[in-house]
Amino acid sequence: MSEAPAVVVDLQLAIGESEFDGQPLPASHQLEAWVAAALLAAAEDGGLERDASAAAAPYELTVRLVEEAESQGLNRDYRGKDSPTNVLSFPHEPLDLDDFALPPELAARFAEEGDDDSLPLAGMPEGDLDAGEEEGLDGHNSDDVMLASDAMSEADEADATDAVSSGFSTSALGSAAPETAAEQALDEQALDEQRFLGDLIISVHVVAREAREQGKSLENHFAHMLVHGTLHLLGYDHIEDDEAERMEALERHVLAGLGIADPYREENH
């Protein structure tokens, strides 16, 4: 992978100021460039796998710039540290419906309906399910299919209609039959899960204060925080010494490519 991937940042401003020490906050396109550089380096390092078919699809993340109080509350609640910090990373975790349990009264009701073959499934017409529906569309979890149904576009439905009108059918082609619109929607949902990285929460006052104390520009220190936070979203960490060395080496590499000095050199602290 030689080109940086496309990135879309959802920038949320939860602060009143737009400048610190006379320096403006970075714009969305700068944040996206820094994240893209981190993703490229991670891919070269083996820390990010990308499907070649989705090479042009953008990665997405939220960057929220907050006051110290919000940073402190999140740091306390999620890390047990009652103080604001420069950047917090919250990797995206796909929703697992198996983690949810129905209230006892609903579970009992559905169990009763499940024992009565004469009762249709909620929202479904009476009659037997075909093999695809019963198995959740070729082995896919049926709950996932329900979640993905809203994501089916008119284009997906048109593609499915074209396939039928052209004479293609599952019975005629067997395993070579084209994907149904629902299956395509599931594939797109899976790709969306891969593309959304998570959330970065940045305490601007902390970052500005650190930049001032370390003799750095606000822009350069912000770039470091975006690179550092993005690597955390991808699973990099610095708890163990060997993990820290790998992560810091990657940060140095990315920042050098951006024309920014090694943030871990002694004179930069």
Side-chain angles (χ1 to χ4, degrees):
M1 176 181 169
S2 58
E3 293 185 4
V7 173
V8 175
V9 166
D10 173 19
L11 178 58
Q12 299 180 1
L13 300 176
I15 55 175
E17 303 93 330
S18 60
E19 289 188 359
F20 289 81
D21 297 331
Q23 302 174 78
L25 293 175
S28 293
H29 71 272
Q30 292 176 288
L31 303 178
E32 290 167 352
W34 297 334
V35 171
L39 295 179
L40 176 59
E44 294 172 344
D45 184 59
L48 174 66
E49 293 184 5
R50 298 185 69 219
D51 189 332
S53 64
Y59 285 88
E60 301 178 27
L61 72 159
T62 297
V63 176
R64 181 173 171 84
L65 308 185
V66 303
E67 302 281 357
E68 288 186 81
E70 182 172 339
S71 174
Q72 180 171 347
L74 292 170
N75 202 25
R76 178 188 61 241
D77 295 344
Y78 289 94
R79 299 179 67 230
K81 299 183 178 182
D82 195 11
S83 60
T85 189
N86 45 31
V87 58
L88 290 167
S89 302
F90 294 92
H92 172 61
E93 296 182 1
L95 179 66
D96 186 352
L97 295 181
D98 292 335
D99 292 339
F100 292 85
L102 288 173
E105 59 274 15
L106 285 179
R109 174 186 168 190
F110 287 134
E112 292 174 1
E113 293 180 352
D115 292 336
D116 188 347
D117 293 336
S118 66
L119 292 175
L121 294 176
M124 293 289 290
E126 294 189 24
D128 295 334
L129 295 175
D130 65 27
E133 291 169 323
E134 185 174 3
E135 292 298 324
L137 295 179
D138 295 334
H140 290 294
N141 184 287
S142 58
D143 290 330
D144 293 338
V145 176
M146 293 171 64
L147 284 175
S149 62
D150 291 338
M152 289 166 55
S153 65
E154 294 180 0
D156 292 326
E157 296 172 356
D159 290 340
T161 302
D162 291 341
V164 173
S165 64
S166 299
F168 292 109
S169 66
T170 304
S171 59
L173 295 179
S175 61
E179 287 187 324
T180 65
E183 289 172 324
Q184 291 174 0
L186 281 171
D187 291 341
E188 291 174 3
Q189 181 189 21
L191 286 175
D192 287 341
E193 294 286 4
Q194 296 173 4
R195 295 170 194 153
F196 186 69
L197 301 174
D199 306 314
L200 297 181
I201 312 297
I202 296 179
S203 175
V204 180
H205 294 83
V206 173
V207 172
R209 185 164 57 247
E210 289 177 347
R212 184 168 57 251
E213 292 171 351
Q214 298 173 21
K216 303 175 182 177
S217 70
L218 181 62
E219 179 179 324
N220 285 359
H221 197 39
F222 243 104
H224 183 204
M225 293 302 98
L226 262 292
V227 170
H228 184 86
T230 298
L231 293 180
H232 273 311
L233 293 180
L234 298 177
Y236 288 86
D237 214 332
H238 43 73
I239 297 176
E240 303 296 335
D241 289 344
D242 57 338
E243 294 177 339
E245 290 177 4
R246 181 186 181 193
M247 184 172 179
E248 290 176 9
L250 207 54
E251 291 174 45
R252 292 186 180 98
H253 171 70
V254 175
L255 294 174
L258 297 171
I260 299 174
D262 179 356
Y264 294 108
R265 289 177 61 181
E266 198 64 36
E267 56 265 34
N268 287 329
H269 291 271

